[in-house]
Amino acid sequence: MDNKDFLPLNGTDFIEFYVSNSLQAARYYQSAFGFQPLAYSGLSTGHKSIESYVVQQGKIRLVFSSPLISGTPIGKHIDQHGDGVKVIALMVDNAEKALKETVSRGAEIAHNFESLEDQDGSIHISGIKTYGDTIHLFVDRSNYKGVFMPGFVAWETEYKPSELGLKYVDHMVGNVGWNDMNNWAEFYAKVMGFTQLISFDDKDISTDYTALMSKVMSNNNGRIKFPINEPAEGKKKSQIEEYLNFYEGAGVQHIALATSNIIETVTKLKNRGVEFLHVPNEYYDTVMDRVGEIDEELEPLKDLRILIDRDDEGYLLQIFTKPIGPRPTVFYEIIQRKGAKSFGKGNFKALFEAIELEQSKRGTL
Ligand code: FE2
């Protein structure tokens, strides 16, 4: 058991997207998802090459960064991948030890240990590479009182649409290449001390068309859960393969955000323009037989097209947005857990049929 405690993680510190227009991205997350303005770094703070906006809701912190000049690593990332997740930052007590422990187990360094300081204290960071061009930053902010990080100031803006009840990052899913799932599951096991919660194979997750395989990796205290997907052969192109083609490599597929009232949260998200996958009516004809008694009325769930699934420990309510950018890559899941610790396996078939409908509209099946 000792071996599992070499990398204690306290939660997701932030998620950083590389995007072509950081201000508009941040404004979208304010308007559509109810994130609140937190911090800014850019020309007016003396930063000449990158502009970043940070927004927050509950424990979820998102950073949007854009290049101010050509030829930057951010610019190249956007050119290849489109807007996407670059950094999954994890809270640690000791960033120097986190780097040492993971590198000694085979991790590649993405960011050497560094202490960032200003008048509000110091933040210790370090980082390692994971799938694709994605990295994990280890962040120790226990000695910092500023808004976000040294180099950032508070983002002062009058425009503050209300929050929508999003509380924390439940899980983040990575899509990796053909036959790569086991390599990356092993990476999280060996290098980061994660254990495997569940696996699905193509018999669980295949419809007439799409297919994928998935393993869910979790850290010791369960605060960090990373399902890893790879495509599988189907009659037509797997949605994972479509992602890999458009992202031009492995990367973050979806971010699941938790709410304690999914009906209210999703109603408001829809009112603010967020679009969700539309599952067929028939789904609701049989769902109650499958999941049994639940606290909610079926009608509002059906009206909003919220999905329901049950496991040994309880049930969960979930819904998936359409991709949030022009490329069919990154999307969001909104999830409310009522005891269930699983990921909605019972919904895969209904869900993938809905995704395929979208794929066929895009002509990418
Ligand atoms: Fe998910």
Side-chain angles (χ1 to χ4, degrees):
M1 282 304 280
D2 274 359
N3 193 43
K4 282 185 184 164
D5 294 323
F6 66 83
L7 185 63
L9 301 173
N10 302 323
T12 308
D13 192 279
F14 66 87
I15 299 162
E16 182 172 13
F17 289 77
Y18 283 178
V19 297
S20 51
N21 190 328
S22 56
L23 175 59
Q24 284 185 8
R27 288 298 191 202
Y28 170 73
Y29 280 85
Q30 283 188 275
S31 304
F33 284 84
F35 281 84
Q36 301 300 303
L38 183 70
Y40 163 84
S41 161
L43 285 177
S44 60
T45 62
H47 216 303
K48 300 278 194 287
S49 61
I50 304 171
E51 181 180 68
S52 299
Y53 289 86
V54 188
V55 297
Q56 181 161 14
Q57 185 168 186
K59 292 178 179 166
I60 313 156
R61 257 195 302 257
L62 305 179
V63 182
F64 301 97
S65 297
S66 294
L68 294 166
I69 52 172
S70 64
T72 65
I74 299 183
K76 286 173 188 157
H77 196 275
I78 298 165
D79 183 43
Q80 182 180 348
H81 302 298
D83 290 3
V85 173
K86 174 64 182 183
V87 181
I88 302 168
L90 305 168
M91 292 178 193
V92 297
D93 295 325
N94 187 332
E96 194 168 20
K97 181 170 180 289
L99 188 67
K100 218 172 276 173
E101 295 285 1
T102 50
V103 167
S104 75
R105 288 169 173 82
E108 269 184 79
I109 295 178
H111 200 109
N112 280 308
F113 174 75
E114 193 180 2
S115 178
L116 307 169
E117 280 153 40
D118 68 10
Q119 69 283 354
D120 290 316
S122 67
I123 285 192
H124 290 175
I125 59 169
S126 64
I128 60 171
K129 295 181 181 178
T130 179
Y131 49 78
D133 287 329
T134 318
I135 68 169
H136 289 307
L137 269 194
F138 301 121
V139 180
D140 165 19
R141 56 173 69 251
S142 56
N143 294 304
Y144 194 66
K145 292 186 182 65
V147 283
F148 179 58
M149 273 198 179
F152 284 78
V153 295
W155 180 17
E156 309 281 2
T157 174
E158 305 264 297
Y159 181 67
K160 291 177 187 172
S162 59
E163 297 199 352
L164 300 185
L166 298 171
K167 294 212 149 40
Y168 60 89
V169 176
D170 186 273
H171 60 274
M172 287 182 72
V173 180
N175 281 346
V176 301
W178 293 93
N179 305 312
D180 248 357
M181 174 186 69
N182 284 327
N183 298 334
W184 285 107
E186 202 184 298
F187 167 88
Y188 281 104
K190 193 181 120 208
V191 171
M192 296 180 68
F194 283 34
T195 50
Q196 186 181 322
L197 290 183
I198 319 167
S199 82
F200 314 106
D201 65 20
D202 50 354
K203 282 171 218 72
D204 293 319
I205 317 180
S206 76
T207 62
D208 278 351
Y209 299 116
T210 203
L212 66 82
M213 294 195 279
S214 189
K215 281 187 175 174
V216 181
M217 304 303 293
S218 169
N219 82 317
N220 218 13
N221 60 19
R223 289 186 197 177
I224 307 295
K225 291 188 280 290
F226 293 145
I228 309 287
N229 296 334
E230 73 172 34
E233 292 291 350
K235 281 187 198 157
K236 290 197 179 174
K237 191 188 282 178
S238 165
Q239 53 156 308
I240 309 305
E241 191 181 359
E242 184 196 35
Y243 175 102
L244 296 169
N245 289 344
F246 278 95
Y247 200 73
E248 297 190 15
V252 170
Q253 180 210 36
H254 75 263
I255 302 168
L257 303 177
T259 169
S260 49
N261 187 339
I262 196 166
I263 292 174
E264 208 176 292
T265 296
V266 171
T267 300
K268 289 176 180 168
L269 286 167
K270 285 193 170 177
N271 288 341
R272 294 199 190 179
V274 177
E275 292 187 307
F276 294 90
L277 288 177
H278 190 87
V279 295
N281 262 326
E282 295 75 51
Y283 174 88
Y284 294 92
D285 296 343
T286 55
V287 68
M288 299 314 280
D289 301 336
R290 185 162 58 77
V291 301
E293 196 132 308
I294 58 170
D295 301 336
E296 294 73 13
E297 298 285 334
L298 184 61
E299 275 315 304
L301 297 174
K302 182 180 175 182
D303 288 347
L304 294 165
R305 302 289 148 164
I306 291 166
L307 304 167
I308 316 158
D309 197 25
R310 183 178 284 281
D311 64 20
D312 295 341
E313 292 167 278
Y315 69 97
L316 62 82
L317 304 165
Q318 64 184 169
I319 191 168
F320 297 84
T321 71
K322 293 183 180 177
I324 47 154
R327 300 194 197 192
T329 55
V330 190
F331 59 89
Y332 282 86
E333 172 181 351
I334 309 298
I335 184 167
Q336 181 178 4
R337 293 189 180 278
K338 308 214 63 172
K341 296 207 175 76
S342 51
F343 297 83
K345 175 177 154 181
N347 287 323
F348 286 167
K349 194 171 185 296
L351 189 63
F352 291 168
E353 279 164 2
I355 290 173
E356 282 163 21
L357 191 65
E358 297 292 323
Q359 270 182 288
S360 75
K361 284 184 202 159
R362 292 192 284 266
T364 58
L365 254 187

